[in-house]
Amino acid sequence: MPGNMNEAAKAEPIRILIAEDQQLIRRAFAKILDFEPDISVVAQAADGAEAIELARRHRPDIVLMDLQMPRVSGVQATRRIVSELPTTQVVVLTTFDTDDLVFEAIGAGAQAYLLKDATEAEILETIRGVKRGESRLSPNISRKVLEEFRKARPFEAEPREEWTSAEPLTEREEEILALVAQGKSNRDIADQIFLAEGTVKNYVSRVMEKLGAASRTELAVRALKRKRV
């Protein structure tokens, strides 16, 4: 255990830029994040224009981005930051979940979309997951994305060859796949079926490999596909 703690201490912290126009909320997020030993808040922006400027200056790992901000919106700032700084990821954290904003933010390049009613643990887990290259969506946001996908790409009567797994899923893998399709995180799944979070992560990776899914969202879509055919 001490060895692991020393390794964590030596690792470079996740560098965060907070973009939020409400000062009290911005400071509250900064206080929560700075308390974590593996996270460092490098800058705070009060609007989208300042977020772009500070992102260019500090090149953070992750921008925690509100959407409704003065001067430049969070969606516009996300598009600019992702375009100019390919190593910087954007995590949307907002009170708004209207369809237009959700799809605009994801289309602009946001790697995760959370609502401000998310718990502190969910926010921290999302930040760490995005740093590892994962995508995260709140469950109701996942449903919106999947519903839009269904509208855009109606399911065929027969499964296409690329949707078919050469190796069948085990009963446990089917169970975990169904929970992923509901938008649940690895932590949520682990709590629900009484497994370690790392074990769930391994299961998800194995299912993604079997089904040829490149992302968690794509895996959820394929889960719905398999259910319908």
Side-chain angles (χ1 to χ4, degrees):
M1 182 68 71
N4 292 338
M5 292 178 63
N6 289 337
E7 289 176 10
K10 291 177 183 177
E12 289 292 327
I14 303 170
R15 303 172 70 255
I16 302 289
L17 162 62
I18 300 173
E20 164 64 58
D21 63 325
Q22 296 187 47
Q23 186 181 66
L24 289 178
I25 296 177
R26 188 170 66 246
R27 288 180 175 177
F29 283 150
K31 186 174 182 180
I32 290 171
L33 297 178
D34 267 334
F35 187 75
E36 299 298 311
D38 61 333
I39 294 175
S40 174
V41 176
V42 297
Q44 300 179 43
D47 57 56
E50 189 177 15
I52 296 169
E53 178 186 344
L54 291 176
R56 289 169 175 161
R57 185 186 310 169
H58 295 279
R59 297 183 176 271
D61 298 308
I62 292 173
V63 179
L64 200 60
M65 181 78 74
D66 190 16
L67 292 184
Q68 300 283 35
M69 292 188 293
R71 293 209 291 169
V72 175
S73 73
V75 170
Q76 292 173 312
T78 295
R79 184 175 291 108
R80 184 76 64 82
I81 290 169
V82 170
S83 172
E84 294 186 16
L85 305 172
T87 61
T88 297
Q89 303 290 348
V90 173
V91 172
V92 169
L93 184 59
T94 184
T95 56
F96 302 95
D97 66 347
T98 58
D99 290 0
D100 288 348
L101 275 178
V102 169
F103 301 131
E104 285 177 9
I106 293 175
Q111 190 75 2
Y113 197 118
L114 295 177
L115 298 179
K116 286 181 180 175
D117 61 0
T119 66
E120 179 180 329
E122 288 171 336
I123 294 172
L124 293 173
E125 181 185 358
T126 295
I127 287 172
R128 292 175 178 126
V130 167
K131 183 61 171 65
R132 293 191 298 267
E134 302 172 9
S135 297
R136 298 292 179 92
L137 301 173
S138 293
N140 60 326
I141 302 300
S142 293
R143 287 191 289 272
K144 288 177 181 292
V145 172
L146 295 174
E147 182 60 31
E148 185 69 10
F149 185 93
R150 284 195 292 265
K151 291 177 183 176
R153 298 184 60 182
F155 292 108
E156 299 90 348
E158 295 297 332
R160 297 195 308 269
E161 183 178 351
E162 62 265 31
W163 292 90
T164 304
S165 172
E167 184 181 353
L169 300 184
T170 65
E171 184 176 343
R172 177 65 86 181
E173 288 169 348
E174 290 281 7
E175 180 182 20
I176 289 174
L177 177 60
L179 294 172
V180 169
Q182 294 173 24
K184 294 184 181 296
S185 68
N186 288 348
R187 176 74 57 82
D188 294 334
I189 296 172
D191 291 342
Q192 183 167 333
I193 63 177
F194 308 106
L195 288 177
E197 185 177 357
T199 302
V200 172
K201 181 181 177 181
N202 291 337
Y203 270 116
V204 172
S205 297
R206 191 152 56 242
V207 173
M208 287 178 65
E209 183 177 352
K210 284 186 176 182
L211 297 184
S215 68
R216 199 178 182 92
T217 300
E218 184 180 351
L219 183 62
V221 171
R222 298 200 174 196
L224 291 172
K225 171 70 178 181
R226 295 172 78 253
K227 185 176 180 180
R228 289 287 296 269
V229 297

